[in-house]
Amino acid sequence: PKMKEDNCLHAALICLGMLYYSHAITTEKLNHARPSLHGHHEKGKEGQVLHRSKRGWVWNQFFVIEEYTGPDPVLVGRLHSDIDSGDGNIKYILSGEGAGIIFVIDDKSGNIHATKTLDREERAQYTLTAQAVDRNTNRPLEPPSEFIVKVQDINDNPPEFLHENYHANVPERSNVGTSVIQVTASDADDPTYGNSAKLVYSILEGQPYFSVEAQTGIIRTALPNMDREAKEEYHVVIQAKDMGGHMGGLSGTTKVTITLTDVNDNPPKFPQSVYQMSVSEAAVPGEEVGRVKAKDPDIGENGLVAYSIIDGDGMDMFEITTDYETQEGVVKLKKLLDFETKKSYSLKVEAANVHIDPKFISNGPFKDTVTVKISVEDADEPPVFLKPSYIFEVQENAASGTVVGKVHAKDPDAANSAIRYSIDRHTDLERYFIINAEDGNIKTIKALDREEIAWHNISVFAVEVHKQHQEAKVPVAIKVVDVNDNAPKFAAAYEAFVCENARSNQQFTTISADDKDDSANGPRFIFSLPPEIIHNPNFTLRDNRDNTASVLVRREGFSRQKQDLYLLPIVISDGGLPPMSSTNTLTIRVCGCDSNGSLLSCNAEAYILNAGLSTGALIAILACIVILLVIVVLFVTLKRQKKEPLIVFEEEDVRENIITYDDEGGGEEDTEAFDIATLQNPDGINGFIPRKDIKPEYQYMPRPGLRPAPNSVDVDDFINTRIQEADNDPTAPPYDSIQIYGYEGRGSVAGSLSSLESATTDSDLDYDYLQNWGPRFKKLADLYGSKDTFDDDS
């Protein structure tokens, strides 16, 4: 039945199109006169006569319905000219867009048919050109004329939304009618023809929370006070329907996801009214005690909560900070606690929103309070000294066992355990002190010397009897009080000088003193002479009352010949109680001075020599000494020049110096005949030679016991004796040394050159090769040449 209805609808549309076409053709023919070959004359602007020919047939446009699926081609229209008499001499030709493919024409009747199904959404119109020509000659009978074939639209396209899914946000608690988002659909059908593209929007899902405007597609809120905390996300389905929403129209849908955004419409709220916490009294400031949290269902900055302490007896002992990551209030210790003083504290903590929305201020205060009770737990604390440090005094030289002072500590815990005391021996290595373990009394073990150590800084430990790990430590400073136990002495090793020509009561030196004791035991020194020499005829002493004394000459004239050194004892006393004194000796030398009192000489021997000998005698003595030195130098020089040279260059009989040995030896390759190591100096093996190249100050005489007998045949003893003499002779120059070669070579091609027995016995050796050895061996060649040569010479 549906296909029948569609066919009927198409047929009706075709009929309407044909009626419309006929009406248009009739109208055109009524409005235009029949074409004439003669034309009409019109006068132009320049007097030129223009000819306008009248058209015999004119058409505007044809219509063809889209999506026609009938069995026969669709008749689009008919072309006809008034010239056509029906005898078939006129031929109609169609050209242009789709001509011959989509649109075909009957060249005799001029009927135009559409051979294919047309889609207006693919192409809405076609421009064609029609022409009437003579069938026999193809001569144009009418001018070419264009016409348009429009594709008539039908509702064959449903509406389509721009997006398949939409996402939108709207604040919670928004008023009714608040715009959320606008959705838009489009229809490919012709919006200018019928209602095929007239869309109407409606909501299929999402009521009663949202609504949509039928003409614009704007989605709006439909319920007041929608709460994000109750439901945050909504899914809405919107439909767009063409044909103005009437029955038979096509439709399309889209899905819209709407999320409610948060507003600060909820105050923070503590889940309980009281929090219980505990902290040890041993906790240090800054340590965390506990946490509280107020719940706020809002999110983001709307859910930020700040915590503060607004009341309570623990406001000075505790503080609270906000952990913004967990939105918790962190209670921390601010000061040290004492269980024995106070065992519990109470705090009133407030949690308030950081950001408040003025639109919802009428909902009430955006804050909440809670009570935090903190109990202090008893901790096992170490002993506590009554003072942070102790300072005691004790006199030096006090007897062993003298009490210095007393320290005291107690157990702060409720148990109040007994305390034991001890001295840190690392601070009293010399063990000057001892402490009573029970009462804390500190005593001396041995005498103290202020001049050695003025202050003793020790440390005292206090531990609980039953809990040895609990201990405390306190510093104890012990001052050694000075006692006048050191007598004053000279400040330096004084040595004074007095002139022989000194005048009476003349001051020649000033002395001062030092005292190791404290200034309290020696504010001023008193200088005096011993009672037994208080009437010393030579010198006297004057106390300057400023811790110095002046030494003066009592008489005039001193003589170095009689006495050149005086020892003056001086008594020095301090001002301590009781006073201490000592006798110090001042050395005074008698010196020669000029008339101005300037020091010349203090040597008594030189003075005596100067007085006994004249200047001439001294010069004669010096001249004799010089002459003696010159003679000694000449004697030594001449003795050195008389030494015989090591090599004799005079013409002597060589035979007198030849030493004959019975054993010639094995030659250069014989290494067993003589041990060359005996010629080495043992002191020079490691590179150390004890002898120094210095000029001798005395003539060396070799020891007679080391020289071997003249006729000794022991060469080893002879060489060792000569080596020992050379090593121990300090007069020997550096070049007079023995050169030792540890390697002699592998032998010589010349063989032995020994002349032993050659003068007395005939030799079978041939020495003719000596003639080729050069001029240096010429004499040997002449002496040991061939026998023929000797015979000729004789």
Side-chain angles (χ1 to χ4, degrees):
K2 181 175 178 60
M3 293 185 62
K4 291 181 177 179
E5 291 178 359
D6 292 340
N7 292 333
C8 294
L9 179 61
H10 291 165
L13 291 173
I14 292 172
C15 294
L16 289 174
M18 295 299 296
L19 292 174
Y20 183 79
Y21 163 72
S22 300
H23 175 72
I25 295 298
T26 305
T27 304
E28 292 292 334
K29 290 185 174 180
L30 290 174
N31 292 335
H32 299 280
R34 180 184 180 86
S36 174
L37 299 176
H38 302 284
H40 178 70
H41 297 276
E42 291 186 1
K43 189 174 183 179
K45 294 182 179 179
E46 298 181 355
Q48 182 180 0
V49 177
L50 299 178
H51 300 276
R52 185 180 64 179
S53 60
K54 294 183 180 179
R55 301 177 62 93
W57 47 276
V58 177
W59 56 91
N60 187 8
Q61 57 186 5
F62 293 154
F63 293 89
V64 58
I65 192 168
E66 67 170 338
E67 303 292 345
Y68 176 72
T69 58
D72 299 326
V74 178
L75 177 64
V76 177
R78 181 182 180 184
L79 299 180
H80 182 73
S81 176
D82 294 342
I83 302 176
D84 188 4
S85 59
D87 53 3
N89 293 327
I90 296 177
K91 179 181 179 180
Y92 295 98
I93 299 175
L94 185 65
S95 62
E97 299 174 346
I101 300 174
I102 300 176
F103 302 102
V104 295
I105 189 170
D106 187 350
D107 59 353
K108 292 182 179 180
S109 63
N111 292 332
I112 302 173
H113 291 83
T115 62
K116 294 184 178 181
T117 301
L118 302 180
D119 188 359
R120 190 202 67 83
E121 286 72 36
E122 181 179 350
R123 185 157 189 172
Q125 65 182 20
Y126 297 86
T127 302
L128 300 172
T129 302
Q131 191 175 14
V133 298
D134 187 271
R135 183 178 295 276
N136 297 322
T137 62
N138 287 328
R139 181 176 61 84
L141 299 179
E142 291 283 352
S145 181
E146 288 186 354
F147 67 94
I148 296 174
V149 177
K150 287 190 174 182
V151 181
Q152 188 72 36
D153 181 52
I154 65 173
N155 189 18
D156 59 344
N157 290 279
E160 293 183 359
F161 285 93
L162 298 180
H163 302 286
E164 184 177 355
N165 292 288
Y166 288 86
H167 294 274
N169 297 323
V170 63
E172 63 172 333
R173 307 287 183 182
S174 295
N175 296 327
V176 175
T178 301
S179 174
V180 179
I181 190 175
Q182 183 178 15
V183 294
T184 304
S186 62
D187 196 322
D189 294 326
D190 189 1
T192 62
Y193 179 76
N195 295 326
S196 297
K198 185 178 181 181
L199 304 180
V200 175
Y201 298 94
S202 62
I203 184 168
L204 300 182
E205 294 181 15
Q207 300 95 343
Y209 306 103
F210 299 96
S211 63
V212 64
E213 291 183 356
Q215 305 301 325
T216 60
I218 297 176
I219 301 175
R220 300 181 182 275
T221 57
L223 281 182
N225 297 324
M226 285 191 293
D227 190 3
R228 183 200 67 85
E229 288 74 31
K231 185 177 182 181
E232 184 176 6
E233 190 173 84
Y234 296 86
H235 297 285
V236 179
V237 177
I238 302 297
Q239 181 189 65
K241 191 174 184 180
D242 58 12
M243 299 299 292
H246 294 93
M247 184 179 297
L250 303 178
S251 64
T253 60
T254 186
K255 181 183 293 185
V256 182
T257 301
I258 301 176
T259 302
L260 298 183
T261 58
D262 185 62
V263 297
N264 190 10
D265 58 338
N266 295 281
K269 185 72 176 177
F270 284 105
Q272 58 196 69
S273 59
V274 178
Y275 283 87
Q276 297 286 347
M277 299 179 183
S278 62
V279 60
S280 173
E281 64 173 333
V284 296
E287 186 172 336
E288 181 178 330
V289 177
R291 295 189 173 214
V292 297
K293 184 175 182 179
K295 295 183 178 180
D296 191 332
D298 297 323
I299 60 175
E301 66 176 13
N302 297 321
L304 293 180
V305 179
Y307 298 88
S308 61
I309 300 175
I310 59 176
D311 197 5
D313 57 358
M315 293 183 64
D316 296 334
M317 304 301 296
F318 300 92
E319 62 182 357
I320 190 169
T321 60
T322 303
D323 186 348
Y324 286 102
E325 292 184 1
T326 61
Q327 290 298 302
E328 294 176 321
V330 183
V331 180
K332 295 182 179 180
L333 183 63
K334 191 175 180 181
K335 295 181 180 180
L336 290 174
L337 301 173
D338 186 8
F339 173 80
E340 289 71 26
T341 303
K342 190 173 177 61
K343 296 179 176 58
S344 63
Y345 294 90
S346 177
L347 301 175
K348 188 175 183 181
V349 176
E350 180 185 78
N353 277 141
V354 177
H355 304 282
I356 298 177
D357 193 339
K359 294 186 298 183
F360 304 101
I361 195 69
S362 60
N363 291 359
F366 284 80
K367 56 186 177 181
D368 193 16
T369 58
V370 70
T371 301
V372 179
K373 293 184 178 180
I374 303 173
S375 60
V376 181
E377 296 178 349
D378 188 19
D380 189 8
E381 299 176 89
V384 177
F385 282 95
L386 299 185
K387 294 182 181 180
S389 62
Y390 292 87
I391 299 177
F392 300 130
E393 291 184 356
V394 61
Q395 285 190 345
E396 65 174 329
N397 303 326
S400 177
T402 301
V403 176
V404 177
K406 182 179 180 180
V407 297
H408 183 67
K410 66 176 183 178
D411 182 11
D413 298 325
N416 195 17
S417 301
I419 305 298
R420 292 293 181 266
Y421 303 94
S422 63
I423 295 177
D424 184 1
R425 287 305 170 187
H426 293 91
T427 61
D428 186 25
L429 297 176
E430 300 296 331
R431 292 184 175 272
Y432 288 103
F433 307 96
I434 191 173
I435 190 171
N436 190 309
E438 296 181 356
D439 58 12
N441 277 321
I442 301 175
K443 298 180 181 180
T444 61
I445 301 178
K446 53 186 177 181
L448 306 177
D449 187 1
R450 189 203 68 86
E451 287 70 41
E452 182 179 352
I453 302 176
W455 284 86
H456 293 267
N457 297 305
I458 64 174
S459 296
V460 175
F461 289 113
V463 297
E464 297 182 15
V465 174
H466 302 293
K467 299 175 183 178
Q468 298 294 329
H469 64 282
Q470 295 288 4
E471 68 175 14
K473 185 177 181 180
V474 68
V476 178
I478 301 173
K479 179 182 179 182
V480 181
V481 181
D482 183 49
V483 174
N484 191 21
D485 57 348
N486 291 278
K489 296 181 180 180
F490 276 158
Y494 292 106
E495 186 174 357
F497 304 92
V498 64
C499 295
E500 290 181 303
N501 55 358
R503 298 186 303 273
S504 178
N505 293 327
Q506 180 182 353
Q507 176 182 340
F508 61 89
T509 187
T510 301
I511 59 175
S512 61
D514 280 339
D515 195 335
K516 293 183 180 180
D517 293 323
D518 193 14
S519 59
N521 289 316
R524 191 179 73 81
F525 299 118
I526 301 172
F527 300 87
S528 62
L529 295 177
E532 61 272 12
I533 63 167
I534 194 169
H535 300 293
N536 188 326
N538 298 318
F539 306 100
T540 185
L541 187 69
R542 183 179 64 201
D543 193 340
N544 297 327
R545 298 182 179 276
D546 59 355
N547 291 336
T548 64
S550 300
V551 183
L552 296 84
V553 177
R554 175 168 287 184
R555 66 180 177 85
E556 294 183 357
F558 291 88
S559 175
R560 281 182 289 175
Q561 297 178 1
K562 295 181 180 180
Q563 186 175 354
D564 63 338
L565 184 65
Y566 293 90
L567 299 177
L568 180 64
I570 298 175
V571 178
I572 307 174
S573 301
D574 59 20
L577 293 176
M580 297 286 292
S581 63
S582 65
T583 302
N584 301 265
T585 302
L586 176 65
T587 302
I588 303 173
R589 292 186 180 276
V590 180
C591 301
C593 303
D594 58 12
S595 59
N596 295 327
S598 299
L599 186 64
L600 294 178
S601 175
C602 296
N603 193 344
E605 291 77 4
Y607 177 82
I608 296 172
L609 181 62
N610 188 21
L613 296 176
S614 62
T615 303
L618 292 175
I619 293 174
I621 293 172
L622 292 176
C624 292
I625 295 173
V626 171
I627 292 171
L628 290 175
L629 291 175
V630 171
I631 292 172
V632 171
V633 172
L634 291 176
F635 177 76
V636 173
T637 304
L638 291 175
K639 188 173 181 179
R640 287 187 176 181
Q641 291 180 354
K642 289 180 181 180
K643 289 184 178 181
E644 293 181 359
L646 298 176
I647 302 175
V648 181
F649 295 95
E650 289 82 8
E651 293 292 333
E652 295 180 357
D653 190 359
V654 178
R655 291 173 296 178
E656 295 178 358
N657 296 326
I658 295 176
I659 301 173
T660 303
Y661 297 95
D662 294 335
D663 185 13
E664 183 176 347
E668 294 177 351
E669 295 183 354
D670 185 6
T671 59
E672 297 179 357
F674 182 77
D675 187 8
I676 197 67
T678 58
L679 299 179
Q680 294 180 351
N681 185 2
D683 294 332
I685 293 177
N686 296 324
F688 174 76
I689 300 176
R691 185 176 60 190
K692 297 182 179 179
D693 299 332
I694 59 174
K695 182 178 180 181
E697 297 180 358
Y698 58 89
Q699 183 65 32
Y700 172 74
M701 295 301 292
R703 291 178 290 177
L706 297 176
R707 189 175 298 275
N711 297 327
S712 176
V713 296
D714 192 350
V715 180
D716 188 24
D717 292 341
F718 178 81
I719 293 176
N720 287 335
T721 302
R722 289 294 183 265
I723 291 174
Q724 189 172 3
E725 289 179 0
D727 291 338
N728 296 326
D729 185 8
T731 63
Y735 55 80
D736 188 11
S737 60
I738 295 176
Q739 301 295 332
I740 298 173
Y741 299 89
Y743 180 73
E744 295 187 23
R746 296 182 178 179
S748 175
V749 297
S752 176
L753 298 179
S754 174
S755 62
L756 299 177
E757 299 180 356
S758 63
T760 57
T761 62
D762 294 334
S763 177
D764 294 335
L765 296 175
D766 185 9
Y767 296 102
D768 291 339
Y769 60 85
L770 295 176
Q771 299 292 338
N772 300 325
W773 281 23
R776 293 189 177 184
F777 296 90
K778 186 175 183 303
K779 183 175 287 296
L780 289 175
D782 294 341
L783 292 174
Y784 300 98
S786 62
K787 294 182 179 181
D788 296 338
T789 305
F790 287 115
D791 293 340
D792 294 341
D793 293 342
S794 61

